[in-house]
Amino acid sequence: MTANVVRTRIEGSVGHILLNRPEVMNAITVELGAQLERALRLLAPAVTVIVVRGAGGNFSAGGDFGELRRLREQGRAALAPLFDNFGRACALIARLPVPVVAVVEGYAMAGGFELMQACDIALVHENAKISDTHLNFGQVPGGGSSQRLPRLAGRQRALAHILTGDRLTGAEAVAWGLAYRCLPAAGFEDAVAAFAERLAGHDRGALETAKRLVYEGLRLPLDEGLALEREHVIEHIVGDAAGAAIAGFAGGEGSRA
């Protein structure tokens, strides 16, 4: 029977995904990657925001070296699912209609750091330990760091970080554009819950459209991205949900602002 290494639950409009291998700091395996992708697909239609975090006080320490050694002994074909499963889960996040928030505490190393990069938004604990450590162990990134990190932090920072494996603090992750907020230990859980509830309180259609515009716009020249935004905003405003919100705002305090 396959172990349940990723757990899900729904609280109101918030979906929760828990990487559940605390005894090995939620190290990534073939099965964890597959279950993570399934969990994301399962929750996305049912909630307005998804929160991803690790069990036992750590996000993820990266790939499971025990499994990596075993698969390597079996040859190239055996290794592929480890990277394919995890890569599909990370790539899926940008295509989901709801925001996916990484809640990072403890260690987020190598593959764990790559999952953090793939999420739409990251909230990091002030004591989090964040790094791409692949080269420290004679490895190269395999979960997206060589591609996502330069796009998020710039070529020089990304390359220097990958080559050195220097640790980043939560505050540094924010300064580099890798996280949205660095949250203090005191009140961490309350702050995470409040952030998720704030997102979950927004219109789901508006969240989906805004997310899609950002990701699609990043692949377009600015003038084409602006044209795409104009097209979508008009389409959104003539919809029922936006109409109700505008009517409510115009009839309330907003009309006297």
Side-chain angles (χ1 to χ4, degrees):
M1 185 175 180
T2 302
N4 186 15
V5 294
V6 173
R7 293 184 177 178
T8 62
R9 74 179 195 279
I10 295 176
E11 295 181 348
S13 297
V14 181
H16 296 268
I17 293 177
L18 183 72
L19 309 181
N20 190 40
R21 303 188 72 217
E23 70 283 359
V24 288
M25 294 192 223
N26 307 308
I28 298 158
T29 62
V30 172
E31 185 59 31
L32 187 144
Q35 290 189 23
L36 176 58
E37 182 186 3
R38 287 198 295 271
L40 289 164
R41 291 189 185 279
L42 173 70
L43 289 178
V47 299
T48 308
V49 59
I50 297 173
V51 173
V52 180
R53 65 190 309 176
N58 292 294
F59 190 62
S60 172
D64 187 302
F65 267 79
E67 179 156 277
L68 187 64
R69 185 184 305 113
R70 177 179 61 81
L71 295 173
R72 182 178 180 275
E73 291 171 353
Q74 297 174 31
R76 180 186 297 266
L79 276 167
L82 177 63
F83 298 98
D84 291 346
N85 289 0
F86 183 65
R88 279 195 298 268
C90 288
L92 174 63
I93 290 170
R95 301 195 301 270
L96 293 178
V98 297
V100 178
V101 180
V103 175
V104 178
E105 53 187 328
Y107 287 96
M109 301 291 185
F113 181 35
E114 290 172 312
L115 176 57
M116 171 183 159
Q117 293 171 53
C119 288
D120 300 314
I121 300 167
L123 303 177
V124 295
H125 192 286
E126 64 178 346
N127 296 327
K129 301 172 182 66
I130 301 164
S131 179
D132 192 303
T133 54
H134 285 100
L135 266 75
N136 292 351
F137 296 95
Q139 306 300 312
V140 295
S145 257
S146 70
Q147 303 305 306
R148 289 193 180 93
L149 192 56
R151 289 166 168 80
L152 292 168
R155 186 266 304 166
Q156 179 141 182
R157 275 179 165 171
L159 184 55
H161 178 76
I162 290 170
L163 297 181
T164 64
D166 289 339
R167 284 188 184 177
L168 300 174
T169 65
E172 287 171 331
V174 172
W176 282 28
L178 304 176
Y180 181 60
R181 290 280 188 268
C182 178
L183 303 175
F188 179 77
E189 295 297 336
D190 288 343
V192 167
F195 184 85
E197 288 297 331
R198 181 180 178 188
L199 289 187
H202 290 314
D203 174 69
R204 194 179 191 277
L207 284 173
E208 177 179 359
T209 300
K211 175 176 172 175
R212 185 167 69 251
L213 282 171
V214 168
Y215 279 104
E216 291 184 8
L218 285 171
R219 295 192 293 267
L220 297 172
L222 179 59
D223 57 344
E224 293 181 26
L226 290 171
L228 182 69
E229 181 187 74
R230 178 184 179 279
E231 175 186 344
H232 279 284
V233 71
I234 293 173
E235 181 180 345
H236 180 75
I237 288 175
V238 299
D240 292 340
I246 291 169
F249 183 80
E253 290 299 318
S255 62
R256 297 187 291 276

